[in-house]
Amino acid sequence: MLFHPPPQFILEPPAVIRLADEILLDQIDRRLKAFGLDRGIRRVVIAETRKIVRDLPPEKRLIIPEKVDPHLSIILSTGQLFGSGSGGGGGTPVALTATDHFRDFNGTVTGTNKSLGTTAADRLTAISIAWQDAGTTKTLDTVTVGGASATRIIRFVTGSTDRNVEIWTIDSGSLSTLSASTTANVVVTWSSGNTGVVIQIYKLTGSTATQTSSSGTTSVSVTVPTDGAAIVACMNTGITAASISNVTEDYNQAETASNNMRGIMGSTTTSGALTSTFSGTSSSTRMFAMTFGA
């Protein structure tokens, strides 16, 4: 079963894709997006299309529906979406995996050969970051994965600060430069000075978009959508033992090289109301939660 959109949902007919050889794959993706297909489905279509055309010379790079999986053939030739079963509902549930982590203290920190998890057409890599340089304000400026730039999704403090929690993401699926990579160097750079940092890397599949976010000092609350997932990040000044509730703690680590801070990263794929609370000796504690929908 490829997906489960409502059975009455019909796309505009063959406009879905008998495109000429000058149309690039990213233009096809834009076309599919305009028809309302979510990112996960679009990536599957593009991945199958790539398999068909990759060995053809440029003058013959036409999309030939009858050569594709029967489900995709229907989409490409008629524009009709369908699924087996009783219909309704969304796509495949979000799968969220904590793949790797590291800590460091420097102006630019590098996690070498960090796991991104197994390859997948719709893989998304999320980097959850807790950092501190007590008394010196700065910004976290860039995050790269395998040399490709990630995009910041959320941070506790916007602008210069001496401590923060942030989440950055990068497409690592079949259309990305990371499509074949199961490991990569993760490089994080600040605007100035050395910084203590705790970082957790996640692999997500089946995620179409971030949904909601919440920030707080010692507690955050969000609603995890049906078939969705959430990531919670926390930083606390000091290295005494601490924890966060109602999530799986993926990385709970003190960074002691200079700044004496603790980062705690957690996640869940349980839908519904989520409140995660910091337990420990709170000092300049900062938390956020971000949800991802199917």
Side-chain angles (χ1 to χ4, degrees), residues 207-261:
S207 172
T208 60
T210 54
Q211 298 291 307
T212 58
S213 63
S214 172
S215 61
T217 52
T218 58
S219 182
V220 289
S221 295
V222 290
T223 298
V224 182
T226 301
D227 292 334
I231 294 173
V232 176
C234 174
M235 69 77 50
N236 188 60
T237 299
I239 60 174
T240 57
S243 62
I244 54 176
S245 64
N246 297 324
V247 291
T248 299
E249 285 193 0
D250 303 307
Y251 194 34
N252 185 332
Q253 181 63 53
E255 204 303 301
T256 60
S258 175
N259 280 303
N260 288 338
M261 55 85 66

Side-chain angles (χ1 to χ4, degrees), residues 4-17:
H4 305 277
Q8 70 273 18
F9 182 25
I10 306 296
L11 301 179
E12 294 296 324
V16 185
I17 309 183

Side-chain angles (χ1 to χ4, degrees), residues 99-282:
T99 60
D100 215 332
H101 54 251
F102 63 103
R103 63 181 173 122
D104 205 344
F105 173 76
N106 216 322
T108 295
V109 303
T110 300
T112 304
N113 291 329
K114 293 300 171 181
S115 174
L116 307 181
T118 55
T119 60
D122 64 341
R123 183 178 62 178
L124 180 73
T125 297
I127 303 100
S128 187
I129 305 170
W131 61 268
Q132 177 177 275
D133 186 1
T136 303
T137 59
K138 61 180 66 180
T139 55
L140 197 168
D141 285 351
T142 62
V143 176
T144 62
V145 181
S149 296
T151 300
R152 179 168 32 226
I153 302 300
I154 184 176
R155 53 183 164 174
F156 185 94
V157 176
T158 301
S160 293
T161 181
D162 63 351
R163 67 203 76 204
N164 222 344
V165 282
E166 314 191 13
I167 187 167
W168 296 58
T169 64
I170 185 170
D171 180 3
S172 53
S174 60
L175 300 183
S176 74
T177 58
L178 299 168
S179 61
S181 299
T182 57
T183 63
N185 289 352
V186 176
V187 182
V188 180
T189 304
W190 284 265
S191 57
S192 64
N194 292 337
T195 305
V197 63
V198 173
I199 294 175
Q200 174 66 53
I201 303 164
Y202 293 96
K203 169 190 171 182
L204 295 100
T205 58
S207 172
T208 60
T210 54
Q211 298 291 307
T212 58
S213 63
S214 172
S215 61
T217 52
T218 58
S219 182
V220 289
S221 295
V222 290
T223 298
V224 182
T226 301
D227 292 334
I231 294 173
V232 176
C234 174
M235 69 77 50
N236 188 60
T237 299
I239 60 174
T240 57
S243 62
I244 54 176
S245 64
N246 297 324
V247 291
T248 299
E249 285 193 0
D250 303 307
Y251 194 34
N252 185 332
Q253 181 63 53
E255 204 303 301
T256 60
S258 175
N259 280 303
N260 288 338
M261 55 85 66
R262 178 173 293 276
I264 311 173
M265 312 300 181
S267 61
T268 183
T269 54
T270 301
S271 60
L274 167 67
T275 295
S276 184
T277 301
F278 173 85
S279 294
T281 302
S282 175

Side-chain angles (χ1 to χ4, degrees), residues 24-38:
L24 301 174
L25 288 174
D26 66 330
Q27 292 174 296
I28 297 172
D29 182 62
R30 290 170 190 259
R31 197 78 172 272
L32 293 172
K33 183 177 181 179
F35 288 133
L37 275 74
D38 68 34

Side-chain angles (χ1 to χ4, degrees), residues 77-92:
S77 60
T78 71
Q80 181 172 353
L81 290 176
F82 72 98
S84 58
S86 58
T92 303

